[in-house]
PDB file of all heavy atoms in Angstrom:
ATOM      1  N   ARG V 155      19.367  -9.476  16.699  1.00 85.00           N
ATOM      2  CA  ARG V 155      19.317  -9.205  18.125  1.00 85.00           C
ATOM      3  C   ARG V 155      20.686  -9.359  18.757  1.00 85.00           C
ATOM      4  O   ARG V 155      21.521 -10.111  18.294  1.00 85.00           O
ATOM      5  CB  ARG V 155      18.326 -10.157  18.789  1.00 85.00           C
ATOM      6  CG  ARG V 155      17.010 -10.189  18.056  1.00 85.00           C
ATOM      7  CD  ARG V 155      16.101 -11.237  18.615  1.00 85.00           C
ATOM      8  NE  ARG V 155      15.652 -10.877  19.957  1.00 85.00           N
ATOM      9  CZ  ARG V 155      14.792 -11.600  20.634  1.00 85.00           C
ATOM     10  NH1 ARG V 155      14.308 -12.715  20.139  1.00 85.00           N
ATOM     11  NH2 ARG V 155      14.412 -11.217  21.832  1.00 85.00           N
ATOM     12  N   ALA V 157      21.009 -10.211  21.994  1.00 92.00           N
ATOM     13  CA  ALA V 157      20.929 -11.320  22.931  1.00 92.00           C
ATOM     14  C   ALA V 157      19.481 -11.764  22.996  1.00 92.00           C
ATOM     15  O   ALA V 157      18.584 -11.043  22.568  1.00 92.00           O
ATOM     16  CB  ALA V 157      21.405 -10.868  24.308  1.00 92.00           C
ATOM     17  N   HIS V 185      20.408  -6.783  31.065  1.00 96.00           N
ATOM     18  CA  HIS V 185      19.113  -6.808  30.376  1.00 96.00           C
ATOM     19  C   HIS V 185      18.611  -8.246  30.227  1.00 96.00           C
ATOM     20  O   HIS V 185      17.486  -8.564  30.603  1.00 96.00           O
ATOM     21  CB  HIS V 185      19.259  -6.134  29.005  1.00 96.00           C
ATOM     22  CG  HIS V 185      17.980  -6.038  28.227  1.00 96.00           C
ATOM     23  ND1 HIS V 185      17.461  -4.834  27.820  1.00 96.00           N
ATOM     24  CD2 HIS V 185      17.120  -6.983  27.790  1.00 96.00           C
ATOM     25  CE1 HIS V 185      16.331  -5.049  27.170  1.00 96.00           C
ATOM     26  NE2 HIS V 185      16.108  -6.351  27.127  1.00 96.00           N
ATOM     27  N   GLU V 186      19.468  -9.123  29.726  1.00 96.00           N
ATOM     28  CA  GLU V 186      19.029 -10.512  29.497  1.00 96.00           C
ATOM     29  C   GLU V 186      18.779 -11.236  30.809  1.00 96.00           C
ATOM     30  O   GLU V 186      17.806 -11.969  30.941  1.00 96.00           O
ATOM     31  CB  GLU V 186      20.065 -11.279  28.678  1.00 96.00           C
ATOM     32  CG  GLU V 186      19.960 -11.228  27.189  1.00 96.00           C
ATOM     33  CD  GLU V 186      18.629 -10.814  26.586  1.00 96.00           C
ATOM     34  OE1 GLU V 186      17.654 -11.570  26.581  1.00 96.00           O
ATOM     35  OE2 GLU V 186      18.584  -9.682  26.068  1.00 96.00           O
ATOM     36  N   HIS V 189      15.563 -10.518  32.335  1.00 95.00           N
ATOM     37  CA  HIS V 189      14.447 -11.227  31.685  1.00 95.00           C
ATOM     38  C   HIS V 189      14.175 -12.576  32.353  1.00 95.00           C
ATOM     39  O   HIS V 189      13.109 -13.157  32.169  1.00 95.00           O
ATOM     40  CB  HIS V 189      14.736 -11.452  30.204  1.00 95.00           C
ATOM     41  CG  HIS V 189      14.344 -10.287  29.348  1.00 95.00           C
ATOM     42  ND1 HIS V 189      13.179  -9.584  29.540  1.00 95.00           N
ATOM     43  CD2 HIS V 189      14.968  -9.708  28.283  1.00 95.00           C
ATOM     44  CE1 HIS V 189      13.109  -8.620  28.631  1.00 95.00           C
ATOM     45  NE2 HIS V 189      14.188  -8.663  27.875  1.00 95.00           N
ATOM     46  N   ASN V 194       9.517  -9.814  29.868  1.00 91.00           N
ATOM     47  CA  ASN V 194       8.795  -8.779  29.114  1.00 91.00           C
ATOM     48  C   ASN V 194       9.548  -7.464  29.302  1.00 91.00           C
ATOM     49  O   ASN V 194      10.611  -7.446  29.909  1.00 91.00           O
ATOM     50  CB  ASN V 194       7.373  -8.637  29.652  1.00 91.00           C
ATOM     51  CG  ASN V 194       7.386  -8.519  31.169  1.00 91.00           C
ATOM     52  OD1 ASN V 194       8.226  -7.844  31.748  1.00 91.00           O
ATOM     53  ND2 ASN V 194       6.459  -9.192  31.821  1.00 91.00           N
ATOM     54  N   HIS V 195       9.006  -6.375  28.781  1.00 92.00           N
ATOM     55  CA  HIS V 195       9.642  -5.066  28.984  1.00 92.00           C
ATOM     56  C   HIS V 195       8.728  -4.131  29.755  1.00 92.00           C
ATOM     57  O   HIS V 195       8.539  -2.978  29.390  1.00 92.00           O
ATOM     58  CB  HIS V 195      10.036  -4.444  27.635  1.00 92.00           C
ATOM     59  CG  HIS V 195      11.132  -5.193  26.936  1.00 92.00           C
ATOM     60  ND1 HIS V 195      10.974  -5.784  25.727  1.00 92.00           N
ATOM     61  CD2 HIS V 195      12.402  -5.437  27.319  1.00 92.00           C
ATOM     62  CE1 HIS V 195      12.119  -6.381  25.372  1.00 92.00           C
ATOM     63  NE2 HIS V 195      12.997  -6.181  26.319  1.00 92.00           N
ATOM     64  N   PHE V 199      10.319  -4.675  34.851  1.00 96.00           N
ATOM     65  CA  PHE V 199      11.548  -5.150  34.219  1.00 96.00           C
ATOM     66  C   PHE V 199      12.610  -4.036  34.222  1.00 96.00           C
ATOM     67  O   PHE V 199      13.737  -4.224  34.683  1.00 96.00           O
ATOM     68  CB  PHE V 199      11.273  -5.627  32.783  1.00 96.00           C
ATOM     69  CG  PHE V 199      12.522  -5.813  31.971  1.00 96.00           C
ATOM     70  CD1 PHE V 199      13.271  -6.983  32.066  1.00 96.00           C
ATOM     71  CD2 PHE V 199      12.982  -4.809  31.121  1.00 96.00           C
ATOM     72  CE1 PHE V 199      14.440  -7.144  31.339  1.00 96.00           C
ATOM     73  CE2 PHE V 199      14.151  -4.962  30.395  1.00 96.00           C
ATOM     74  CZ  PHE V 199      14.879  -6.133  30.501  1.00 96.00           C
ATOM     75  N   TRP V 200      12.229  -2.838  33.716  1.00 95.00           N
ATOM     76  CA  TRP V 200      13.189  -1.739  33.613  1.00 95.00           C
ATOM     77  C   TRP V 200      13.656  -1.281  34.984  1.00 95.00           C
ATOM     78  O   TRP V 200      14.805  -0.854  35.156  1.00 95.00           O
ATOM     79  CB  TRP V 200      12.597  -0.566  32.816  1.00 95.00           C
ATOM     80  CG  TRP V 200      12.473  -0.913  31.369  1.00 95.00           C
ATOM     81  CD1 TRP V 200      11.318  -1.091  30.671  1.00 95.00           C
ATOM     82  CD2 TRP V 200      13.550  -1.176  30.452  1.00 95.00           C
ATOM     83  NE1 TRP V 200      11.606  -1.447  29.369  1.00 95.00           N
ATOM     84  CE2 TRP V 200      12.959  -1.502  29.203  1.00 95.00           C
ATOM     85  CE3 TRP V 200      14.942  -1.166  30.556  1.00 95.00           C
ATOM     86  CZ2 TRP V 200      13.712  -1.815  28.078  1.00 95.00           C
ATOM     87  CZ3 TRP V 200      15.694  -1.481  29.430  1.00 95.00           C
ATOM     88  CH2 TRP V 200      15.088  -1.796  28.212  1.00 95.00           C
TER      89      TRP V 200
HETATM   90 ZN1   ZN C   1      14.605  -7.415  26.308  1.00 50.07          ZN
END
Side-chain angles (χ1 to χ4, degrees):
R155 311 173 69 176
H185 183 121
E186 272 341 286
H189 274 319
N194 49 41
H195 293 118
F199 166 82
W200 289 112

